[in-house]
Amino acid sequence: MNSNSKGFLKMAGLLSLTLIAFLICMPSIAELNGEQGADLLIFLGRFHIVVLHLPIGWLTIVPIVDIIGRKYQLAAFSTLTRILLYCAAFSTILAVVVGFTLATSDGYSGTTVTQHMWFGITTSIVTILAAFFFTVKEVNKKAVFDYLYISCLVTGLSTITIAGHLGGNLVQGDDYLTEKMPLAMKSVFGITEPKVAEISYDTPIYQSFIEPILAQNCVSCHNANKIKGQFQMDTLELLFKGGKSHKIAIKPSNANGSELIRRIGLKRGDK
């Protein structure tokens, strides 16, 4: 290995370590506390739904190109694989940064948000390492770096799958995968359908009608795993308490003084 190759690998290693350190330290920049930030940050953060598809595409095509190149001994495919890995690494960093901007500015907090963030960061870190080890493997031709590259790539594909699932939970709700599942499959996995309440004089109105409406339209964004606006609705105490406005959400026997009722009556475009 000549001096130019050593210098290049040294620069690549330093850059990789710098990017990894940035990703690990990034969560300490701002807290996921449910507070809403500036409109500009929210606007930029909402591009997360666009850029998050880039690393999925790059990481999916990398093993396909690599396998074809190895099987048919195509030297050009090795270079193509390295370029794809660089693109994947850059896109994962971009997706993490934009996603973190969204989470910290648009009032997200909770267990699911935090897990989604760290799986995204982990995906970015192992993708950076995969790109680095692949580059070292091309120069040194040692099998150990090939094993390290493959291990990082497999880990990245696994963590990005989990991160995507958690992201789906955040946007669509915890049952987004099973909601439209055929009944035959639901029975296999032991998933039960909610019973439709029959109306009678003895029907408990809240449990049978109001609570399911809240669960479908409200609790999905206001629970222990996803706390938007610091407001939780999954327990009675927190439902009555309210969120970051510090106004009581529900005042018994006082609809006009209940912040939840006031907000329900706002116009759709109200901030």
Side-chain angles (χ1 to χ4, degrees), residues 15 72 82 95-96 154 194 201 230 238-239 245 254 261:
L15 178 60
Y72 297 101
R82 176 162 47 84
V96 167
V154 171
Y201 285 108
Q230 299 180 356
L238 295 173
L239 172 63
S245 68
N254 185 0
I261 302 301

Side-chain angles (χ1 to χ4, degrees), residues 165-203:
H165 171 65
L166 292 171
N169 285 350
L170 289 171
V171 177
Q172 304 292 341
D174 292 341
D175 63 343
Y176 83 103
L177 278 179
T178 60
E179 183 183 7
K180 301 300 182 181
M181 182 183 289
L183 292 176
M185 291 182 65
K186 285 186 176 182
S187 63
V188 171
F189 290 101
I191 301 171
T192 57
E193 284 283 287
K195 295 181 179 179
V196 179
E198 296 182 0
I199 300 176
S200 71
Y201 285 108
D202 299 324
T203 300

Side-chain angles (χ1 to χ4, degrees), residues 93-162:
I93 296 170
L94 179 63
V96 167
V97 171
V98 177
F100 185 71
T101 302
L102 175 64
T104 54
S105 61
D106 204 13
Y108 285 91
S109 62
T111 305
T112 303
V113 178
T114 304
Q115 290 176 343
H116 177 63
M117 175 186 71
W118 280 111
F119 272 106
I121 290 174
T122 302
T123 300
S124 188
I125 290 173
V126 295
T127 304
I128 293 169
L129 290 174
F132 174 70
F133 288 134
F134 187 88
T135 303
V136 176
K137 185 259 301 187
E138 281 193 308
V139 176
N140 280 348
K141 307 296 182 182
K142 292 183 178 179
V144 62
F145 293 111
D146 196 28
Y147 294 140
L148 288 171
Y149 147 68
I150 294 173
S151 299
C152 289
L153 182 61
V154 171
T155 303
L157 288 168
S158 301
T159 54
I160 201 170
T161 301
I162 298 171

Side-chain angles (χ1 to χ4, degrees), residues 193-263:
E193 284 283 287
K195 295 181 179 179
V196 179
E198 296 182 0
I199 300 176
S200 71
Y201 285 108
D202 299 324
T203 300
I205 300 300
Y206 178 79
Q207 291 89 338
S208 299
F209 302 104
I210 299 175
E211 189 174 29
I213 293 173
L214 291 177
Q216 182 177 357
N217 298 285
C218 309
V219 179
S220 58
C221 284
H222 300 281
N223 58 74
N225 293 323
K226 180 183 178 183
I227 313 170
K228 288 212 69 177
Q230 299 180 356
F231 183 38
Q232 285 185 237
M233 305 178 70
D234 48 350
T235 71
L236 189 62
E237 180 184 1
L238 295 173
L239 172 63
F240 276 56
K241 181 180 178 182
K244 67 180 181 180
S245 68
H246 302 297
K247 296 179 180 178
I248 298 175
I250 298 176
K251 289 184 179 180
S253 303
N254 185 0
N256 291 332
S258 301
E259 181 66 8
L260 182 63
I261 302 301
R262 186 187 74 83
R263 295 203 179 199

